Amino acid sequence: MMNLSRWKIAAAVLSVIFGVLFALPNVLPQSAREALPAFMPKNTLNLGLDLQGGSHLLLEVDTQALRKERLVNLVEDVRTNLREKNIPFSDLREVNGSVSVLITDPAQMNAAVNLLRNNVGAPLAGVAGSRDVTVENAGPGRIQISFVAEAMRAEASKAVDQSIEILRRRIDELGTREPTIVRQGVDRIVVQAPGESDPERLKNVIGKTAKLTFQMVDDSVSPEEAAAGRIPPGSELLPSDDGFSGGYLVKKRALVTGEMLTDAQQAFDPQTGQAVVSFRFDGAGARRFGDATAQNLGKRFAIVLDGKVISAPVIQSAITGGSGQISGSFTAESANDLAVLLRAGALPAPLKVEQQQTVGAELGADAVKSGLISTVVGFVAILIFMILAYGFLFGGISVIALAINGLLIVAIMSLTQATLTLPGIAGLILTLAVAVDANVLIYERMRDELRGGRSVISAMDAGFGRAMTTIIDANVTTILAALIMFQFGAGPVKGFAWTLSIGVITSVFTAVLITQVLLALWFRAARPKTLPIV
């Protein structure tokens, strides 16, 4: 074990070089990091919300609004299917979470039931031949269409999963590094955005549903009649933000939706110089938009965002290029925020902010300072203990190995862009405290062998050889516990587990290999008759 092999020396030297190179950017100012050559690493540790400051939001997915939207769509589906087959009906409305319709021709009752059973709703996942709605005869001439309970629960769960992914894309677009976005309970989402200095802007960006639709303006009645409540079936009165009208009567059926967008960017109108949002549809969206504009020349269509009309231009010619722009009372920042929302996609349901916390940068700086002080105090305490217990030589070698261990942990976390949190600092301190356990086991085994009459070289070999089994057993159990915490934990627990996992691996490496190389070099140079630890 005490043979000074070339690969051991090479491994020790390369590990120190690696640690210095990848940990160095953390102590350099931004200007110095930018001036480094291209081949030099420049990544630093990512600081978590508790160290860097930022925003913490607890959001709730409004599943009731999702159900209401599904009911509105179901009403329109029923209306469209019955009209296409010329089945007379009346009194189509929503009743207690279901859709009810009266078939005025009794002879068409069976045909209407079969038509709706085969065409409304969607296939029910996991059940062959079933749909997510039930169509039942609810009395003389009346049909009731209801959602299956399992389908609505699955829809709500899917909405939460989709919301998490869309929130992640939106926050990434803002440039926030290492956000934490996790589900909490059935319909809640926790969002932590380290370094986000404007929590209100964050709330505005991630809280908007950003549901964009293009709908035809209904000019069949005057604005006064619509305001008085005389709204034709299949239309709705929406408020407006375009500065020209207080509201518009629009067809409920959307021509094109934001789901068909492939890109959206903030731009400036070359004629007016005002900020606008330019957009581009995919192939299907471009064809549908081109056909709709070609068939409605001279009419107005409304660009609707989250239930408000932001623009209602007149169709002057068919728009067949698949691109266009949204104008309105935009600033450059608000236009960019809208483009971010459209690129990331619309939320399947609105989000309600249940809780908001802001961690200031000053508080984060205090946490970093406290963590640094704790680490230094722990390191000094270990230094004093090891020197008192094993002398300046053996104690000093173990402290050198411990310092290299800390260097490697910082280097690996910088390389992998892991996020350091307060629990992560706790994991780092725990790692440093436990790291010397391997040295203690090795040194104590050397003492026992020397007391048993073994020679110096034999005692040193036995110290490393026979202690290895215990060292491996102890660290394997620790890393298994860390992996379990990382797999099933969230947020701070993962940060602690990741730091601990890295620390276990580097601790075994430094406590065994680095210590062995340093002691072998000392033994080769000094040729001692006894060891200074007896």
Side-chain angles (χ1 to χ4, degrees):
M1 292 295 290
M2 294 307 298
N3 292 331
L4 201 58
S5 304
R6 289 183 179 178
W7 73 267
K8 292 182 180 179
I9 298 176
V13 172
L14 290 175
S15 66
V16 173
I17 294 174
F18 167 83
V20 171
L21 284 178
F22 284 90
L24 180 62
N26 292 281
V27 297
L28 295 178
Q30 178 68 27
S31 58
R33 291 200 299 272
E34 293 175 352
L36 290 173
F39 64 87
M40 290 284 289
K42 300 178 183 179
N43 289 336
T44 60
L45 284 171
N46 287 327
L47 299 182
L49 179 69
D50 48 3
L51 299 181
Q52 185 180 168
S55 300
H56 171 102
L57 298 176
L58 177 62
L59 307 171
E60 183 178 11
V61 180
D62 190 352
T63 54
Q64 291 301 317
L66 178 66
R67 182 181 181 89
K68 184 177 180 180
E69 180 183 356
R70 289 291 308 276
L71 282 171
V72 170
N73 292 336
L74 185 59
V75 168
E76 293 305 307
D77 286 343
V78 171
R79 188 192 314 277
T80 301
N81 278 277
L82 293 177
R83 282 179 175 176
E84 286 179 352
K85 297 300 181 181
N86 296 318
I87 298 177
F89 66 94
S90 64
D91 196 23
L92 174 60
R93 67 185 192 276
E94 176 194 337
V95 181
N96 297 326
S98 300
V99 174
S100 177
V101 61
L102 182 66
I103 305 301
T104 55
D105 182 1
Q108 298 268 31
M109 185 65 179
N110 289 334
V113 170
N114 292 330
L115 173 69
L116 296 179
R117 280 178 177 169
N118 293 325
N119 292 280
V120 299
L124 186 60
V127 183
S130 298
R131 304 185 74 82
D132 60 358
V133 296
T134 58
V135 180
E136 299 174 340
N137 191 328
R142 185 164 292 279
I143 300 174
Q144 179 173 304
I145 305 98
S146 305
F147 284 106
V148 178
E150 293 82 358
M152 290 308 302
R153 283 195 293 269
E155 187 78 15
S157 179
K158 180 182 177 182
V160 176
D161 293 336
Q162 289 178 335
S163 298
I164 290 174
E165 182 57 34
I166 291 169
L167 290 179
R168 190 178 306 281
R169 291 202 297 266
R170 290 183 180 182
I171 295 176
D172 287 345
E173 289 270 6
L174 291 177
T176 301
R177 300 176 69 183
E178 296 292 329
T180 299
I181 307 172
V182 294
R183 180 198 287 258
Q184 185 180 88
V186 177
D187 57 2
R188 290 186 173 187
I189 301 171
V190 174
V191 177
Q192 292 184 344
E196 179 53 54
S197 58
D198 189 353
E200 289 302 319
R201 183 189 178 207
L202 176 67
K203 222 165 48 167
N204 289 336
V205 170
I206 70 174
K208 283 187 178 179
T209 307
K211 183 175 182 180
L212 183 73
T213 57
F214 296 80
Q215 300 167 236
M216 292 303 303
V217 174
D218 188 351
D219 292 321
S220 61
V221 299
S222 67
E224 293 76 16
E225 290 177 311
R230 289 189 286 275
I231 299 175
S235 297
E236 58 184 343
L237 184 63
L238 297 180
S240 170
D241 279 344
D242 67 350
F244 296 102
S245 174
Y248 289 93
L249 185 67
V250 302
K251 297 286 187 180
K252 288 184 178 180
R253 179 68 65 179
L255 301 175
V256 191
T257 66
E259 295 175 356
M260 297 178 177
L261 291 178
T262 59
D263 189 29
Q265 299 289 337
Q266 182 265 333
F268 292 94
D269 191 312
Q271 296 180 348
T272 64
Q274 293 182 337
V276 297
V277 177
S278 62
F279 61 86
R280 178 172 295 278
F281 290 115
D282 59 17
R287 286 191 298 272
R288 187 179 298 183
F289 193 60
D291 292 342
T293 52
Q295 295 167 9
N296 294 279
L297 294 176
K299 299 180 181 180
R300 288 183 299 170
F301 71 92
I303 303 174
V304 183
L305 179 67
D306 289 344
K308 288 186 178 180
V309 178
I310 58 177
S311 183
V314 176
I315 301 173
Q316 303 289 353
S317 60
I319 304 173
T320 57
S323 62
Q325 69 180 32
I326 303 171
S327 59
S329 302
F330 293 127
T331 63
E333 183 180 41
S334 63
N336 182 67
D337 287 347
L338 177 57
V340 167
L341 294 175
L342 297 181
R343 285 197 303 271
L347 291 169
L351 297 177
K352 296 185 291 185
V353 179
E354 295 292 316
Q355 184 181 40
Q356 175 182 344
Q357 296 177 354
T358 303
V359 179
E362 297 82 5
L363 183 59
D366 289 342
V368 172
K369 183 178 179 181
S370 299
L372 181 61
I373 292 173
S374 301
T375 304
V376 171
V377 170
F379 185 83
V380 171
I382 294 170
L383 170 65
I384 294 173
F385 169 79
M386 293 302 290
I387 290 177
L388 290 178
Y390 301 105
F392 283 99
L393 177 63
F394 277 65
I397 286 175
S398 65
V399 171
I400 292 173
L402 187 63
I404 296 174
N405 180 26
L407 188 70
L408 290 176
I409 293 175
V410 173
I412 294 173
M413 293 189 70
S414 299
L415 175 64
T416 59
Q417 288 290 274
T419 300
L420 183 65
T421 61
L422 273 176
I425 292 179
L428 177 61
I429 296 172
L430 177 62
T431 298
L432 295 178
V434 175
V436 294
D437 280 358
N439 290 117
V440 170
L441 288 170
I442 292 168
Y443 292 167
E444 290 299 326
R445 188 68 195 187
M446 289 181 185
R447 279 179 172 172
D448 290 342
E449 296 297 329
L450 288 172
R451 289 168 185 161
R454 302 283 292 272
S455 65
V456 172
I457 187 64
S458 297
M460 293 178 70
D461 277 336
F464 282 97
R466 298 187 179 182
M468 278 301 297
T469 302
T470 305
I471 293 171
I472 291 173
D473 287 346
N475 285 281
V476 165
T477 55
T478 303
I479 201 169
L480 285 176
L483 292 175
I484 291 172
M485 286 190 289
F486 186 83
Q487 178 67 31
F488 298 103
V493 176
K494 279 195 171 184
F496 175 83
W498 180 241
T499 307
L500 187 61
S501 300
I502 295 173
V504 168
I505 296 171
T506 57
S507 295
V508 174
F509 176 81
T510 55
V512 176
L513 184 65
I514 300 295
T515 302
Q516 188 180 127
V517 169
L518 293 176
L519 284 177
L521 290 173
W522 166 78
F523 181 83
R524 177 177 290 182
R527 296 294 178 180
K529 301 299 182 182
T530 185
L531 296 181
I533 59 172
V534 181

